[in-house]
Amino acid sequence: MDLLQLIESGGCSAKLPANELEKALSGLPKNTDKRLLVDIDTHDDAGVYQLTDEIALIQTTDFFPPVCSDPYDFGQVAAANALSDVYAMGGTPINALNIVMFPKKNLSLDILKEILAGGMDKVKESGAVITGGHTITDDVPKYGLAVTGTVHPDRIITNSNAKPGDVLILTKPLGTGVIIAAKKVGEANDALYQKAVTTMKTLNKKAAEIMQEFNVKSATDITGFGLLGHTLKLAEASKVSIRIDSGKVPVIDGVYDLVEAGCVSCVMRRNLEFVEGKAEFSGDLDNNLKMIMLDAITSGGILMAVDESLADKVLQKLHSSGMQDASIIGSVGKGLPRIAV
Ligand code: CO
Ligand code: CO
Ligand code: CO
């Protein structure tokens, strides 16, 4: 059973488009509770709620249709992705709840068992525990988790704290969305597909620990809105301009050729529409690379804004901790919240 054959769009590419979500949220009452340290206003990765002087809770949820063929892999990827929003806030996940949609017939319950086992193993690897969950019937299976983490209130890493002079580091290579789309239509070879699954399964745990070690204050993770969509959100929340050096953006080998061969999804075009009015693309920007930077990713890397004087040390530590593809990909400047590529 190949789970990818059950879906139209899987993983974070199944997200509601960013501008439509903004429309739905606009005009809803604001939350004024002082204990809510990070709310929905800055479109951050998770909400943060102060519990005591020393402890703030980070809360987040992500769930979606399958993003790979094998149910056990899907469970692991979905869990790594849901946990990532806690890591992007600089936190430590403590517990999680399963969110499950599964068809009443036509699909063996063994598949559900495998999905849940994958999720459980990944949550265990993070050091957190699964405390329960909720299941409803639905024609297309969906899986994810609601995750709670903790962080010291003074150590919260937000998307609204990037400062002019910071440099941007991305910890995982781009291209997993392209590979999965290609796999679905039989265009991706097995080695490439396995590379994508391994990349998505990798926790952002060490990246979060390294951010705390070096007192990084601003980050987000790259998911459904693509590198450029999430970079724009970081620029808007931090009220800064951001320049991306496209030649330095890490991309999985073989992805460029897939895009060159026509593997361009409607989600990429949708993400382009989202950034277009606030992005400046240089005349010599390679169009395939541009589309890769708009690719909807599931369980992507951390994009962090690091004080320039620390950037080389942070990068070295990321490399020596197994994130060989981590690269400095751009810089933060003053001015209106825009991105230039
Ligand atoms: Co996120
Ligand atoms: Co999320
Ligand atoms: Co964040």
Side-chain angles (χ1 to χ4, degrees):
M1 173 79 235
D2 177 354
L3 290 179
L4 285 179
Q5 299 313 317
L6 301 174
I7 56 153
E8 238 170 82
S9 53
C12 287
S13 66
K15 272 191 186 190
L16 204 64
N19 38 11
E20 286 180 26
L21 179 61
E22 272 173 33
K23 258 184 239 164
L25 294 173
S26 76
L28 289 177
K30 299 251 179 231
N31 202 313
T32 52
D33 194 315
K34 289 274 181 293
R35 289 166 294 186
L36 196 56
L37 304 179
V38 177
D39 64 12
I40 202 164
D41 272 1
T42 48
H43 300 231
D44 215 324
D45 299 290
V48 184
Y49 181 90
Q50 180 150 13
L51 211 55
T52 68
D53 286 350
E54 319 263 87
I55 301 173
L57 289 182
I58 301 172
Q59 293 181 298
T60 176
T61 178
D62 268 40
F63 65 96
F64 40 64
V67 67
C68 51
S69 303
D70 175 74
Y72 181 77
D73 283 340
F74 173 42
Q76 288 194 82
V77 170
N81 179 77
L83 290 157
S84 175
D85 281 325
V86 171
Y87 292 131
M89 306 302 287
T92 306
I94 53 171
N95 59 39
L97 296 164
N98 280 321
I99 297 168
V100 179
M101 281 144 235
F102 203 76
K104 234 189 267 182
K105 40 186 182 193
N106 303 332
L107 217 51
S108 157
L109 283 173
D110 289 340
I111 291 176
L112 178 55
K113 195 191 284 284
E114 286 288 298
I115 294 172
L116 293 173
M120 241 176 201
D121 284 349
K122 195 47 76 174
V123 169
K124 194 171 172 200
E125 183 187 332
S126 81
V129 288
I130 291 182
T131 48
H134 186 75
T135 315
I136 63 169
T137 60
D138 195 1
D139 291 342
V140 177
K142 298 171 188 78
Y143 175 63
L145 303 107
V147 184
T148 300
T150 56
V151 66
H152 191 286
D154 300 337
R155 308 286 295 185
I156 304 166
I157 298 174
T158 68
N159 66 358
S160 56
N161 237 335
K163 300 272 185 301
D166 287 349
V167 300
L168 289 177
I169 296 178
L170 177 65
T171 62
K172 287 187 189 179
L174 301 183
T176 56
V178 173
I179 296 171
I180 296 306
K183 157 84 178 173
K184 196 167 139 52
V185 293
E187 297 282 323
N189 68 47
D190 202 52
L192 203 51
Y193 171 70
Q194 287 307 331
K195 172 78 186 168
V197 172
T198 305
T199 304
M200 292 190 291
K201 279 198 294 203
T202 304
L203 287 175
N204 283 326
K205 180 181 169 126
K206 277 185 187 151
E209 288 165 4
I210 293 168
M211 287 198 289
Q212 288 297 11
E213 182 185 335
F214 288 92
N215 207 16
V216 171
K217 288 294 176 202
S218 192
T220 189
D221 60 352
I222 305 305
T223 56
F225 305 134
L227 173 67
L228 297 186
H230 289 282
T231 303
L232 178 59
K233 280 181 176 285
L234 187 86
E236 288 181 326
S238 298
K239 302 187 174 69
V240 293
S241 66
I242 290 177
R243 176 166 293 281
I244 300 277
D245 185 347
S246 62
K248 297 208 172 125
V249 174
V251 178
I252 296 171
D253 282 343
V255 167
Y256 188 94
D257 294 341
L258 286 176
V259 176
E260 173 73 22
C263 245
V264 174
S265 68
C266 52
V267 190
M268 289 168 162
R269 294 194 191 95
R270 204 169 73 185
N271 284 338
L272 178 60
E273 275 169 38
F274 172 64
V275 301
E276 234 166 11
K278 288 172 177 172
E280 188 186 306
F281 297 108
S282 81
D284 56 3
L285 174 62
D286 180 284
N287 197 56
N288 293 332
L289 195 50
K290 176 177 168 183
M291 295 322 276
I292 292 168
M293 290 188 287
L294 291 160
D295 182 27
I297 295 174
T298 304
S299 194
I302 297 276
L303 179 72
M304 60 180 97
V306 180
D307 191 277
E308 198 181 5
S309 63
L310 291 172
D312 286 335
K313 276 189 192 148
V314 172
L315 197 61
Q316 259 172 30
K317 189 77 194 250
L318 290 166
H319 289 165
S320 66
S321 304
M323 286 160 274
Q324 278 89 5
D325 293 292
S327 310
I328 295 175
I329 65 159
S331 57
V332 180
K334 289 187 190 135
L336 290 173
R338 294 179 63 86
I339 53 174
V341 192

